[in-house]
Coordinates of all heavy atoms in Angstrom, one line a residue:
Q55 N 160.0 70.0 25.5 CA 159.6 68.6 26.0 C 158.4 68.6 27.0 O 158.2 67.6 27.6 CB 160.8 67.9 26.6 CG 161.9 67.6 25.6 CD 161.4 66.7 24.5 OE1 161.4 67.2 23.3 NE2 161.0 65.5 24.7
V56 N 157.8 69.8 27.1 CA 156.7 69.8 28.1 C 155.5 70.5 27.5 O 155.6 71.3 26.6 CB 157.1 70.7 29.3 CG1 158.2 70.0 30.1 CG2 157.4 72.1 29.0
A57 N 154.3 70.0 28.0 CA 153.0 70.6 27.6 C 152.4 70.9 29.0 O 152.7 70.3 30.0 CB 152.2 69.7 26.8
A58 N 151.4 71.8 29.0 CA 150.7 72.1 30.3 C 149.2 71.9 30.1 O 148.6 72.1 29.0 CB 151.0 73.5 30.7
A59 N 148.6 71.6 31.2 CA 147.1 71.5 31.3 C 146.6 72.1 32.6 O 147.2 71.9 33.6 CB 146.7 70.1 31.1
T60 N 145.5 72.8 32.4 CA 144.8 73.4 33.6 C 143.4 72.7 33.7 O 142.7 72.8 32.8 CB 144.7 74.9 33.5 OG1 146.0 75.5 33.4 CG2 144.0 75.5 34.8
V61 N 143.2 72.2 34.9 CA 141.8 71.6 35.1 C 140.9 72.6 35.7 O 141.2 73.1 36.8 CB 141.9 70.3 36.0 CG1 140.5 69.8 36.2 CG2 142.8 69.3 35.3
D62 N 139.9 73.0 35.0 CA 138.9 73.9 35.5 C 137.7 73.1 36.1 O 136.9 72.6 35.3 CB 138.4 74.9 34.4 CG 137.3 75.8 34.9 OD1 137.0 75.8 36.1 OD2 136.7 76.5 34.0
H63 N 137.7 72.9 37.4 CA 136.6 72.1 38.0 C 135.3 72.8 38.0 O 134.2 72.2 38.3 CB 137.0 71.7 39.5 CG 138.2 71.0 39.6 ND1 139.4 71.5 39.9 CD2 138.5 69.6 39.5 CE1 140.4 70.5 40.0 NE2 139.8 69.4 39.7
Q64 N 135.3 74.1 37.7 CA 134.1 74.9 37.6 C 133.4 75.0 39.0 O 132.1 75.0 39.0 CB 133.1 74.4 36.5 CG 133.7 74.4 35.1 CD 132.9 73.8 34.1 OE1 132.5 72.6 34.1 NE2 132.4 74.6 33.1
L65 N 134.2 75.0 40.0 CA 133.6 75.1 41.4 C 133.6 76.5 41.9 O 133.0 76.8 42.9 CB 134.5 74.2 42.3 CG 134.3 72.7 42.1 CD1 135.3 71.9 42.9 CD2 132.9 72.2 42.3
R66 N 134.4 77.4 41.2 CA 134.4 78.8 41.6 C 134.2 79.7 40.4 O 134.6 79.3 39.3 CB 135.8 79.1 42.3 CG 136.0 78.4 43.6 CD 137.4 78.9 44.3 NE 138.5 78.5 43.4 CZ 139.3 79.4 42.8 NH1 139.0 80.7 42.8 NH2 140.3 78.9 42.0
R67 N 133.7 80.9 40.6 CA 133.4 81.7 39.5 C 134.7 82.2 38.8 O 134.7 82.4 37.6 CB 132.7 83.0 40.1 CG 132.2 84.0 39.0 CD 131.5 85.2 39.7 NE 130.3 84.7 40.5 CZ 129.6 85.5 41.2 NH1 129.9 86.7 41.4 NH2 128.5 84.9 41.9
E68 N 135.8 82.3 39.6 CA 137.0 82.8 39.0 C 137.8 81.7 38.2 O 138.8 82.0 37.6 CB 137.9 83.3 40.1 CG 137.3 84.4 41.0 CD 136.5 83.8 42.2 OE1 136.4 82.5 42.3 OE2 136.0 84.5 43.0
S69 N 137.4 80.5 38.3 CA 138.3 79.4 37.8 C 138.5 79.5 36.3 O 139.6 79.2 35.8 CB 137.7 78.0 38.2 OG 136.4 77.9 37.5
A70 N 137.5 79.9 35.5 CA 137.7 80.0 34.1 C 138.7 81.1 33.7 O 139.6 80.9 32.9 CB 136.4 80.3 33.4
Q71 N 138.7 82.2 34.5 CA 139.6 83.3 34.2 C 141.0 82.9 34.6 O 142.0 83.2 33.9 CB 139.2 84.5 35.0 CG 140.1 85.7 34.7 CD 139.5 87.0 35.5 OE1 138.5 87.0 36.1 NE2 140.3 88.0 35.5
E72 N 141.1 82.1 35.7 CA 142.4 81.6 36.1 C 143.0 80.7 35.1 O 144.3 80.7 34.8 CB 142.3 81.0 37.5 CG 142.0 81.9 38.6 CD 141.6 81.2 39.9 OE1 141.5 80.0 39.9 OE2 141.3 82.0 40.9
A73 N 142.2 79.8 34.5 CA 142.7 78.9 33.5 C 143.2 79.7 32.3 O 144.2 79.3 31.7 CB 141.6 77.9 33.1
E74 N 142.4 80.7 31.9 CA 142.9 81.5 30.8 C 144.2 82.3 31.1 O 145.1 82.4 30.2 CB 141.8 82.6 30.4 CG 140.5 82.0 29.9 CD 140.6 81.3 28.6 OE1 141.6 81.6 27.9 OE2 139.7 80.6 28.2
F75 N 144.3 82.7 32.3 CA 145.6 83.3 32.7 C 146.8 82.4 32.5 O 147.8 82.8 32.0 CB 145.5 83.7 34.2 CG 146.9 84.0 34.8 CD1 147.6 85.1 34.6 CD2 147.4 83.1 35.8 CE1 148.9 85.3 35.2 CE2 148.6 83.2 36.4 CZ 149.4 84.4 36.1
V76 N 146.6 81.1 33.0 CA 147.7 80.1 32.7 C 148.0 79.9 31.2 O 149.1 79.9 30.8 CB 147.4 78.8 33.4 CG1 148.4 77.8 33.1 CG2 147.2 79.0 34.9
G77 N 146.9 79.9 30.5 CA 147.0 79.7 29.0 C 147.8 80.9 28.4 O 148.7 80.6 27.5
G78 N 147.6 82.1 28.9 CA 148.3 83.2 28.3 C 149.8 83.2 28.7 O 150.7 83.5 27.8
L79 N 150.1 82.8 29.9 CA 151.5 82.6 30.3 C 152.2 81.6 29.5 O 153.3 81.7 29.0 CB 151.6 82.3 31.8 CG 153.0 82.1 32.4 CD1 153.9 83.4 32.2 CD2 152.9 81.8 33.9
C80 N 151.5 80.4 29.3 CA 152.1 79.4 28.5 C 152.4 79.8 27.1 O 153.4 79.4 26.5 CB 151.2 78.1 28.5 SG 151.2 77.3 30.2
C81 N 151.4 80.6 26.5 CA 151.6 81.1 25.2 C 152.8 82.0 25.1 O 153.6 81.9 24.1 CB 150.3 81.9 24.8 SG 150.4 82.5 23.1
N82 N 153.1 82.8 26.1 CA 154.2 83.7 26.1 C 155.6 83.0 26.2 O 156.6 83.5 25.7 CB 154.2 84.6 27.3 CG 153.1 85.7 27.2 OD1 152.6 86.0 26.1 ND2 152.6 86.2 28.3
I83 N 155.6 81.7 26.7 CA 156.9 81.0 26.8 C 156.8 79.8 25.9 O 157.7 78.9 26.0 CB 157.2 80.6 28.2 CG1 156.1 79.7 28.8 CG2 157.4 81.8 29.1 CD1 156.4 79.2 30.2
D84 N 155.9 79.7 24.9 CA 155.8 78.7 23.9 C 155.7 77.3 24.5 O 156.3 76.3 24.0 CB 157.0 78.7 23.0 CG 157.1 80.1 22.2 OD1 156.0 80.5 21.7 OD2 158.2 80.6 22.0
V85 N 154.8 77.2 25.5 CA 154.5 75.8 26.0 C 153.0 75.5 25.6 O 152.1 76.3 26.0 CB 154.6 75.8 27.6 CG1 154.1 74.5 28.2 CG2 156.1 76.0 28.0
P86 N 152.7 74.5 24.9 CA 151.4 74.1 24.6 C 150.5 73.9 25.8 O 151.0 73.4 26.8 CB 151.5 72.7 23.9 CG 152.9 72.7 23.4 CD 153.7 73.5 24.4
H87 N 149.3 74.5 25.8 CA 148.4 74.5 27.0 C 147.0 74.1 26.6 O 146.5 74.5 25.5 CB 148.4 75.9 27.6 CG 147.5 76.0 28.8 ND1 146.2 76.6 28.7 CD2 147.6 75.6 30.1 CE1 145.7 76.5 29.9 NE2 146.5 75.9 30.7
S88 N 146.4 73.3 27.5 CA 145.0 73.0 27.2 C 144.2 73.2 28.6 O 144.8 73.0 29.6 CB 144.8 71.5 26.8 OG 145.5 70.7 27.6
I89 N 142.9 73.5 28.4 CA 142.0 73.7 29.6 C 141.1 72.5 29.6 O 140.4 72.2 28.6 CB 141.2 75.0 29.5 CG1 142.2 76.2 29.5 CG2 140.3 75.1 30.7 CD1 141.5 77.5 29.4
L90 N 141.1 71.8 30.7 CA 140.3 70.6 30.9 C 139.1 70.8 31.8 O 139.3 71.4 32.9 CB 141.2 69.4 31.4 CG 142.5 69.3 30.7 CD1 143.4 68.2 31.4 CD2 142.4 69.0 29.2
R91 N 138.0 70.3 31.4 CA 136.8 70.5 32.3 C 136.0 69.2 32.4 O 135.9 68.4 31.4 CB 135.8 71.6 31.7 CG 136.4 73.0 31.7 CD 135.4 74.0 31.3 NE 136.0 75.3 31.4 CZ 136.7 76.0 30.5 NH1 136.9 75.5 29.3 NH2 137.1 77.2 30.7
P92 N 135.6 68.8 33.6 CA 134.9 67.5 33.8 C 133.6 67.5 33.0 O 132.9 68.5 32.8 CB 134.6 67.5 35.3 CG 135.5 68.5 35.9 CD 135.8 69.5 34.9
A93 N 133.2 66.4 32.5 CA 132.0 66.2 31.7 C 130.8 66.3 32.6 O 129.7 66.8 32.2 CB 132.0 64.9 31.0
Q94 N 130.9 65.9 33.9 CA 129.9 66.0 34.9 C 130.2 66.9 36.0 O 131.4 67.0 36.4 CB 129.5 64.6 35.4 CG 129.1 63.6 34.4 CD 127.9 63.9 33.6 OE1 127.0 64.5 34.2 NE2 127.8 63.6 32.4
P95 N 129.2 67.6 36.6 CA 129.5 68.5 37.7 C 130.1 67.7 38.9 O 129.8 66.5 39.1 CB 128.2 69.1 38.1 CG 127.3 68.9 36.9 CD 127.8 67.7 36.2
I96 N 131.1 68.3 39.6 CA 131.6 67.7 40.8 C 130.6 67.7 41.9 O 130.0 68.7 42.2 CB 132.9 68.5 41.3 CG1 134.0 68.6 40.1 CG2 133.5 67.9 42.5 CD1 134.5 67.3 39.7
S97 N 130.4 66.5 42.5 CA 129.4 66.4 43.6 C 129.9 65.5 44.7 O 131.0 64.9 44.5 CB 128.1 65.9 43.1 OG 128.3 64.6 42.4
G98 N 129.1 65.3 45.7 CA 129.6 64.4 46.8 C 130.7 65.1 47.7 O 130.6 66.3 47.9
N99 N 131.7 64.3 48.0 CA 132.8 64.8 48.7 C 133.6 65.6 47.7 O 134.3 65.0 46.8 CB 133.7 63.6 49.3 CG 134.9 64.1 50.1 OD1 135.6 65.0 49.6 ND2 135.1 63.5 51.3
I100 N 133.6 66.9 47.8 CA 134.1 67.8 46.8 C 135.6 67.5 46.5 O 136.0 67.4 45.4 CB 133.9 69.3 47.1 CG1 132.4 69.6 47.2 CG2 134.5 70.2 46.1 CD1 131.6 69.4 46.0
Q101 N 136.4 67.4 47.5 CA 137.9 67.3 47.4 C 138.2 66.0 46.7 O 139.0 65.9 45.8 CB 138.6 67.4 48.7 CG 138.6 68.9 49.2 CD 139.6 69.0 50.4 OE1 139.7 68.2 51.2 NE2 140.4 70.1 50.3
S102 N 137.6 64.8 47.2 CA 137.8 63.6 46.6 C 137.3 63.4 45.2 O 138.0 62.9 44.3 CB 137.2 62.5 47.5 OG 137.7 62.4 48.8
S103 N 136.1 63.9 44.9 CA 135.5 63.9 43.6 C 136.3 64.7 42.6 O 136.6 64.3 41.5 CB 134.1 64.4 43.6 OG 133.3 63.5 44.4
A104 N 136.8 65.9 43.1 CA 137.6 66.8 42.2 C 138.9 66.1 41.9 O 139.4 66.2 40.7 CB 137.8 68.1 42.8
R105 N 139.5 65.4 42.8 CA 140.8 64.8 42.6 C 140.6 63.7 41.6 O 141.5 63.5 40.7 CB 141.3 64.2 43.9 CG 142.7 63.6 43.8 CD 143.2 63.1 45.1 NE 144.6 62.6 45.1 CZ 145.0 61.5 44.6 NH1 144.1 60.6 44.1 NH2 146.2 61.2 44.6
R106 N 139.6 62.8 41.7 CA 139.4 61.7 40.8 C 139.2 62.3 39.3 O 139.8 61.8 38.4 CB 138.2 60.9 41.2 CG 138.5 60.0 42.4 CD 137.4 58.9 42.5 NE 136.1 59.5 42.7 CZ 135.6 59.8 44.0 NH1 136.3 59.5 45.0 NH2 134.4 60.3 44.1
A107 N 138.3 63.3 39.3 CA 138.1 63.9 37.9 C 139.4 64.5 37.4 O 139.7 64.4 36.2 CB 137.0 65.0 38.0
R108 N 140.1 65.2 38.2 CA 141.4 65.8 37.8 C 142.3 64.9 37.2 O 142.9 65.1 36.1 CB 142.0 66.6 38.9 CG 143.3 67.4 38.6 CD 143.7 68.3 39.7 NE 143.9 67.7 41.0 CZ 143.0 67.8 42.0 NH1 141.9 68.5 41.9 NH2 143.4 67.3 43.2
Y109 N 142.6 63.8 37.9 CA 143.6 62.8 37.4 C 143.1 62.1 36.2 O 143.9 61.7 35.3 CB 144.0 61.9 38.5 CG 145.1 62.5 39.4 CD1 144.7 63.0 40.7 CD2 146.4 62.6 39.0 CE1 145.7 63.6 41.5 CE2 147.4 63.2 39.8 CZ 147.0 63.7 41.1 OH 148.0 64.3 41.9
A110 N 141.8 61.9 36.1 CA 141.3 61.2 34.8 C 141.5 62.1 33.6 O 141.9 61.6 32.6 CB 139.9 60.9 35.0
L111 N 141.2 63.4 33.8 CA 141.4 64.3 32.7 C 142.8 64.5 32.3 O 143.2 64.6 31.1 CB 140.8 65.7 33.1 CG 139.3 65.8 33.2 CD1 138.8 67.1 33.9 CD2 138.7 65.7 31.8
L112 N 143.7 64.6 33.3 CA 145.1 64.7 33.0 C 145.7 63.5 32.3 O 146.5 63.6 31.4 CB 145.9 64.9 34.3 CG 145.7 66.3 35.0 CD1 146.3 66.3 36.4 CD2 146.3 67.4 34.2
D113 N 145.2 62.3 32.7 CA 145.7 61.1 32.1 C 145.3 61.1 30.6 O 146.2 60.7 29.8 CB 145.0 59.9 32.8 CG 145.8 58.6 32.6 OD1 147.0 58.5 32.7 OD2 145.1 57.6 32.2
Q114 N 144.1 61.4 30.3 CA 143.7 61.5 28.9 C 144.5 62.5 28.1 O 144.9 62.3 27.0 CB 142.2 61.8 28.8 CG 141.6 61.8 27.4 CD 141.9 60.4 26.7 OE1 141.5 59.4 27.2 NE2 142.6 60.5 25.6
A115 N 144.6 63.7 28.8 CA 145.4 64.8 28.1 C 146.9 64.4 27.8 O 147.4 64.7 26.8 CB 145.3 66.1 29.0
A116 N 147.5 63.6 28.8 CA 148.8 63.2 28.6 C 148.9 62.3 27.4 O 149.9 62.3 26.6 CB 149.3 62.5 29.9
D117 N 147.9 61.4 27.3 CA 147.9 60.5 26.1 C 147.7 61.3 24.8 O 148.4 61.1 23.8 CB 146.7 59.5 26.2 CG 146.9 58.4 27.2 OD1 148.1 58.2 27.7 OD2 145.9 57.8 27.7
D118 N 146.8 62.3 24.8 CA 146.6 63.1 23.6 C 147.9 63.9 23.2 O 148.1 64.1 22.1 CB 145.5 64.1 23.9 CG 144.1 63.4 24.1 OD1 144.0 62.3 23.7 OD2 143.3 64.1 24.7
Q119 N 148.7 64.3 24.2 CA 149.9 65.1 24.0 C 151.1 64.2 23.8 O 152.3 64.7 23.8 CB 150.1 66.1 25.1 CG 149.1 67.2 25.2 CD 149.3 68.3 24.2 OE1 150.3 68.3 23.6 NE2 148.3 69.2 24.1
T120 N 151.0 62.9 23.8 CA 152.1 61.9 23.7 C 153.1 62.1 24.8 O 154.3 62.1 24.6 CB 152.7 61.9 22.4 OG1 153.4 63.1 22.1 CG2 151.7 61.5 21.3
C121 N 152.6 62.4 26.0 CA 153.5 62.6 27.2 C 153.6 61.3 28.0 O 152.6 60.7 28.3 CB 153.0 63.7 28.1 SG 153.0 65.4 27.3
T122 N 154.9 61.0 28.3 CA 155.1 59.8 29.1 C 154.7 60.0 30.6 O 154.2 59.1 31.2 CB 156.6 59.4 29.1 OG1 157.0 59.3 27.7 CG2 156.8 58.1 29.8
F123 N 154.9 61.2 31.1 CA 154.8 61.5 32.5 C 153.8 62.7 32.7 O 153.7 63.5 31.9 CB 156.1 61.8 33.2 CG 157.1 60.7 33.2 CD1 158.1 60.7 32.3 CD2 156.9 59.6 34.0 CE1 159.1 59.7 32.3 CE2 157.8 58.5 34.0 CZ 158.9 58.6 33.1
I124 N 153.2 62.7 33.9 CA 152.3 63.8 34.3 C 153.0 64.3 35.6 O 153.2 63.6 36.6 CB 150.9 63.4 34.7 CG1 150.2 62.8 33.4 CG2 150.1 64.5 35.2 CD1 148.9 62.1 33.7
A125 N 153.4 65.6 35.6 CA 154.1 66.2 36.7 C 153.2 67.1 37.5 O 152.5 67.9 36.9 CB 155.3 67.0 36.2
T126 N 153.1 66.9 38.8 CA 152.4 67.8 39.7 C 153.3 68.6 40.6 O 154.5 68.2 40.7 CB 151.4 67.0 40.5 OG1 152.1 66.2 41.5 CG2 150.6 66.1 39.7
A127 N 152.8 69.6 41.2 CA 153.7 70.6 41.9 C 153.7 70.3 43.5 O 154.0 71.2 44.2 CB 153.2 72.0 41.6
H128 N 153.4 69.1 43.9 CA 153.5 68.8 45.3 C 154.9 69.1 45.8 O 155.9 68.7 45.2 CB 153.1 67.4 45.6 CG 151.7 67.0 45.3 ND1 151.2 66.6 44.1 CD2 150.6 67.1 46.1 CE1 149.9 66.4 44.1 NE2 149.5 66.8 45.4
H129 N 155.1 69.7 47.0 CA 156.4 70.2 47.4 C 156.6 69.6 48.9 O 155.8 68.9 49.4 CB 156.5 71.7 47.4 CG 155.4 72.4 48.0 ND1 155.1 72.5 49.3 CD2 154.3 73.0 47.4 CE1 154.1 73.3 49.6 NE2 153.5 73.5 48.4
G130 N 157.7 70.0 49.4 CA 158.1 69.5 50.7 C 157.2 69.8 51.8 O 156.9 69.0 52.7
D131 N 156.6 71.0 51.8 CA 155.6 71.4 52.9 C 154.3 70.5 52.7 O 153.8 70.1 53.8 CB 155.2 72.9 52.7 CG 156.3 73.8 53.0 OD1 157.4 73.6 52.4 OD2 156.2 74.7 53.9
D132 N 153.9 70.2 51.5 CA 152.8 69.3 51.3 C 153.1 67.9 51.9 O 152.2 67.3 52.5 CB 152.5 69.1 49.8 CG 152.0 70.3 49.1 OD1 151.2 71.1 49.8 OD2 152.3 70.5 47.9

Side-chain angles (χ1 to χ4, degrees):
Q55 293 302 111
V56 296
T60 302
V61 178
D62 176 8
H63 298 97
Q64 300 177 296
L65 294 172
R66 294 183 297 110
R67 184 178 304 173
E68 306 85 358
S69 62
Q71 183 178 355
E72 292 167 359
E74 294 292 345
F75 161 74
V76 176
L79 178 58
C80 288
C81 181
N82 288 340
I83 59 176
D84 295 321
V85 172
H87 177 261
S88 55
I89 298 175
L90 313 175
R91 295 184 173 92
Q94 302 295 327
I96 302 297
S97 60
N99 184 310
I100 297 299
Q101 287 191 319
S102 296
S103 298
R105 185 182 186 279
R106 285 194 299 271
R108 178 166 63 253
Y109 279 103
L111 288 167
L112 290 170
D113 197 52
Q114 182 59 57
D117 289 341
D118 294 342
Q119 294 280 351
T120 64
C121 292
T122 305
F123 298 104
I124 300 168
T126 70
H128 293 91
H129 49 76
D131 295 54
D132 290 328

